[in-house]
Each structure stands twice: as structure tokens, then as C-alpha cells.
Amino acid sequence: MYDARPGKAHVAFAELGFEKVLTTNFDFLLERAYETTGRPCVPLIGESQLAGLSPSHGPKLYKLHGDIHHPGNLVMTEEDYDLFLSRWPLLATAITSLFISHTPVLIGYSFDDPDTRQLMALIKERLGGLSRQVWSLQIAASPQEVARFERRGVKVINLARRPGLSYDEQLRRFFSELGDYWRRELLDGSQSTDERVKADLLVPAESSVTCYFEVPLDSVAWYKEAVFPVVEEAGFAPVVASDVQTPPGTNFTKGDALAQRATILVVDISSEAGMQYAALAALKRDVRNVLLVRGTADPVPNILSGLTMLVRNDKNADAFQQAFRDWIFEFRDKALESRRSEAERLLEQDDPEGALISAVALLEAELNRRLGQPKSSLIPRPNPTAWITSAVEAKLVEGRKYGELANAVKARNEAVHRKVSVHKSDAVRYVKTILEVVGQLPPEEAAR
């Protein structure tokens, strides 16, 4: 039990990003599975651990029957089951409250299992009819098994058995498909106060211009002040998880979804969690798009030694800003050519809204390169129409183009904020105008 390693289904489940998980198992398979995702979970065994934990500490793993490291908390005998409520009243209250605020899904349980019967008895005794609908995930359950669940008010998700696949492999595929669907749909229904990020979430991931920052909560303000303006100057849209609003209980899934679609990933490895997240990111994506940031005294694991890394020194922020600017501008110059063809590619794929959003983002980035922008994130950033007005005044753009460009921005805004469809013929005209304007802009050095 001490040396057992999690199966592929355990890892795929941990990658789903559930923030609260209950288990009756004594082993450490789930803990080790979460470690492989870069987001270690927080095992909760006794009542003393219930207080003082914030969502940033990691997914919560409630071990209802304890584990072998805490023999005093083990629930093994019939007497242990009977005394559970009286011995651990606060834990029982915390668990039953979850059944009011969350939809429970039982995985790997049957009513032949005393754990299942005890858990359902706990819900019935403490909540009566106040619990949310309980679901159970089964593979090839018989009609009799399904009926046993439904007699107790539990609805069954009964997956057909797939020939040639083991139970573990079938669960792994199910969890992986569910995770892909959840991450995609989660961002589709999200909200952001930053219109660049909001617009970016409407285009395919390969068209994204976001730069996602996976940084400690207590460092977010520093990055927004010192680093975000540099990212914007390079023509990318900086974002942290808290900039995007999604339903409660989805913070970890949201962060993973934003990281997966971002063009650039910046990870602060000053914490152990940051190091684990960075190691996982290095295995999952093109490492040329990943930048690690560490403190002056932070060690660097061997697995991360091949990644680009900058040292953050709060006493000399200017040096860090310059080093960051050099890195991201080199990346920007390599990415610009593909960005210029992205709108046309989306038109060919019959995505007029995505094409228009991509074209306007390109126009913003190119005008930004030539006009500059506020050096502090505390100063409001110009909107697309303001960029165009400034470009006309600076004679970077012909005045006769202003009306068509303003109409393109208006159509893009209606697509982003009001979900108004863009007719393909309009998108073709707007994209053509924007690409012509971008192609006629003077070199960056001449414009400055």
C-alpha cells in the first residue's frame, strides 16, 4: 500500500480539476495522482484540518475513513461505522454541507459495499430531502444494480462496456474526454472585465494572443504593475486566473484551460506548487513558449534546467523588466508572421467572427508597436477606436480608412459583447481593409 502507484484512471481523474473529493480509501493513490498534475491535493483526515484552508491551497481530499498514517482515525469495523457521527461531528457536518452546495457523484461504489451504504445513511440521517440529486458512475451495471441505486434516489450514469478495454483504461478515456469538454465549455461560458481576454476566448485556441501567468496570489499585484505593461507593449493580452469569472468550484480547471490555450505561459516557481506546475507544463507544450521566473535563492530542479528562466529580484525590478522585454519581444517578432495570416485562415474555415476578432487584435498589436502605450497598468489602456484615432492623427493611417476601421471595431465589439453574428461578406471586407492598413504601416523604428 505504501509503494502502490496510481493507475491512468486515477491521474485522469485528478486532472479533471474537482476542488473537493471524498474518498473512503485508506491508500495514497489519489494523493500521488494529484502530484502528477502539478496541483497537489490537501488530504483532510481530522477535524482540526477543516479550518483555515483557502482554495489556493489545492484540491481538498476528504478521507472519510482516515489513512494508514493516522491509525486513530481509521474507520474499519462495524462499531467504527456506527460511531462515526458521534466521534467526528464537525467532519460529518462539513461533509453533509457539501451535499447541499455540490452535486455528488459516486465513482467506484456499489450497494454491496458497506462504504456506500454508510455514506447514503449519513446523507439521509443528516439531510433528509435537502441533499442535491446524487449520481453514480457505473460501467455495464445490470438492470438490478441500477434499480438498487434508483430505489435509494441515486441516478445512474451507466457506461456501456467497450470490448478490448480494461476497466482502468475505459475510465481513463471517459475522464479525459470529460476534462477536455469541461475545459472547453467552461471558458466558452466565462466572463472577463478585460475585453481583449473576453474577445480572445471566442477564437480557436491556436489563434489566441493571451499570455497566461501562473503566479502566487500574493505576487499578482506585482506582476500586473511591473510586467503586464511589457506584455501589452509586445501585443499580447496578459491574464491571470482571477481575471476570468467562472462558476464556483472551477478555479483549478479554469487555470488549466487558460494555460492550455495561451500563446505564452509564464510560471513563477518560487513555491513548490509552482515548480510542479512548471514541470508538468514542460511536458505538455512547446517549451519555447514557456518562461519560468524564480527568486534569487530558489533552487532549480533538473527537470526544469532546459527551460528559459529569469531571476526576479524585487529590489531591482528594472533589470527584470528589461530581461523580460528582451525575451517576449524576440518571441513576438517570430510570431508576427503567423498572426498576420491567422484572420485569413479563419475565413477559410468559415469562422467570420473569429477572423474579425483576430484581425482587430492584429491591428491593435501593430498600432501599439508604433504608438506605444502607458508604462503602468494603473493607467487605462487605449481601446481599439482610440488606437485608430491616434494613428490617423499621427498620419500612420490614411484618414479615409477611419470609417471602415471604426465599423470593423464596432462589429467586433457586438460579436464579443452581444454575441451578434458577423456576415461573412462583411468579415471579408473588414479583414481585407485591416490587412491593407497593417501592410502599409511604416517600420516600428520610423514610426517612433
Side-chain angles (χ1 to χ4, degrees):
M1 184 175 293
Y2 284 103
D3 299 326
R5 306 304 304 171
K8 294 179 179 178
H10 290 97
V11 175
F13 173 82
E15 289 176 340
L16 280 173
F18 289 120
E19 295 188 356
K20 295 181 175 65
V21 177
L22 280 65
T23 181
T24 55
N25 293 338
F26 305 134
D27 56 45
F28 308 105
L29 294 178
L30 281 175
E31 289 96 318
R32 288 166 181 161
Y34 274 103
E35 288 174 0
T36 68
T37 70
R39 294 193 187 278
C41 66
V42 180
L44 300 175
I45 293 98
E47 294 181 336
S48 62
Q49 296 176 291
L50 294 176
L53 288 173
S54 72
S56 62
H57 288 138
K60 310 301 182 296
L61 179 63
Y62 294 80
K63 307 199 76 170
L64 273 65
H65 295 168
D67 63 31
I68 55 178
H69 282 168
H70 301 81
N73 295 79
L74 290 175
V75 177
M76 301 182 67
T77 67
E78 185 174 346
E79 182 181 9
D80 291 333
Y81 284 110
D82 294 338
L83 295 177
F84 180 83
L85 294 178
S86 59
R87 286 181 63 194
W88 312 110
L90 295 180
L91 182 58
T93 299
I95 292 168
T96 50
S97 70
L98 292 178
F99 282 77
I100 296 176
S101 58
H102 296 69
T103 297
V105 181
L106 306 177
I107 300 174
Y109 290 94
S110 75
F111 272 104
D112 292 328
D113 188 340
D115 291 339
T116 307
R117 297 197 297 271
Q118 190 244 358
L119 184 60
M120 297 309 297
L122 171 65
I123 297 169
K124 183 176 180 180
E125 180 175 338
R126 297 296 292 265
L127 296 178
L130 295 178
S131 171
R132 291 193 183 190
Q133 176 64 57
V134 180
W135 297 78
S136 176
L137 179 65
Q138 301 288 322
I139 295 180
S142 68
Q144 294 77 16
E145 291 174 303
V146 173
R148 290 183 70 185
F149 276 103
E150 292 185 345
R151 282 197 300 270
R152 292 164 174 83
V154 179
K155 291 188 178 294
V156 176
I157 304 168
N158 197 12
L159 305 180
R161 188 61 189 267
R162 299 175 67 174
L165 295 183
S166 65
Y167 186 86
D168 181 74
E169 176 60 17
Q170 185 162 347
L171 278 180
R172 183 199 69 78
R173 294 191 183 189
F174 174 78
F175 293 145
S176 295
E177 291 172 8
L178 179 60
D180 290 342
Y181 174 83
W182 192 13
R183 283 184 284 270
R184 182 175 64 252
E185 294 299 314
L186 181 66
L187 292 184
D188 284 348
S190 65
Q191 296 292 325
S192 176
T193 55
D194 188 323
E195 75 163 25
R196 296 163 302 164
V197 175
K198 188 173 183 177
D200 192 88
L201 295 177
L202 297 177
V203 301
E206 59 269 21
S207 304
S208 175
V209 295
T210 54
C211 175
Y212 178 67
F213 285 77
E214 177 69 25
V215 301
L217 285 177
D218 58 5
S219 298
V220 168
W222 185 88
Y223 277 95
K224 286 195 171 187
E225 172 63 20
V227 184
F228 275 32
V230 181
V231 177
E232 293 172 341
E233 186 181 349
F236 297 99
V239 60
V240 292
S242 58
D243 291 334
V244 178
Q245 289 76 52
T246 55
T250 60
N251 284 333
F252 299 121
T253 302
K254 173 178 63 177
D256 288 342
L258 289 170
Q260 285 184 20
R261 68 170 282 115
T263 300
I264 301 171
L265 176 62
V266 178
V267 184
D268 188 311
I269 63 170
S270 58
S271 66
E272 182 180 353
M275 285 193 185
Q276 291 175 324
Y277 189 92
L280 184 70
L283 297 175
K284 284 190 170 183
R285 60 182 294 150
D286 187 342
V287 296
R288 292 173 298 178
N289 305 357
V290 179
L291 176 69
L292 306 185
V293 180
R294 68 179 180 90
T296 53
D298 293 331
V300 181
N302 289 334
I303 193 173
L304 302 180
S305 59
L307 297 179
T308 304
M309 194 170 306
L310 298 180
V311 177
R312 170 186 164 185
N313 185 345
D314 293 348
K315 296 180 180 178
N316 190 1
D318 291 343
F320 177 83
Q321 283 179 314
Q322 186 57 53
F324 184 89
R325 177 179 282 104
D326 292 343
W327 178 82
I328 199 169
F329 271 67
E330 180 180 357
F331 180 86
R332 179 203 68 175
D333 293 340
K334 294 176 181 178
L336 268 179
E337 285 306 315
S338 62
R339 286 183 65 177
R340 286 174 180 147
S341 62
E342 189 61 27
E344 292 176 323
R345 186 184 70 82
L346 291 172
L347 281 176
E348 292 175 358
Q349 294 184 350
D350 201 25
D351 183 1
E353 290 82 18
L356 180 57
I357 291 170
S358 179
V360 172
L362 172 65
L363 179 63
E364 280 192 272
E366 294 288 1
L367 295 181
N368 181 10
R369 292 176 64 191
R370 291 156 177 83
L371 295 170
Q373 65 163 23
K375 300 302 181 185
S376 170
S377 62
L378 301 179
I379 302 175
R381 181 179 183 274
N383 59 44
T385 304
W387 281 121
I388 297 168
T389 300
S390 297
V392 171
E393 293 173 349
K395 301 188 183 308
L396 298 178
V397 174
E398 297 177 51
R400 63 186 181 87
K401 300 278 190 179
Y402 178 86
E404 187 74 348
L405 294 175
N407 287 336
V409 171
K410 180 180 179 181
R412 172 263 200 188
N413 290 343
E414 290 184 343
V416 171
H417 300 293
R418 298 174 54 199
K419 308 298 182 186
V420 176
S421 298
V422 179
H423 196 279
K424 187 170 183 178
S425 62
D426 292 333
V428 169
R429 189 176 75 254
Y430 293 144
V431 168
K432 180 181 179 182
T433 299
I434 290 173
L435 293 181
E436 286 178 353
V437 168
V438 168
Q440 294 168 1
L441 290 173
E444 184 175 353
E445 298 77 11
R448 293 289 182 93

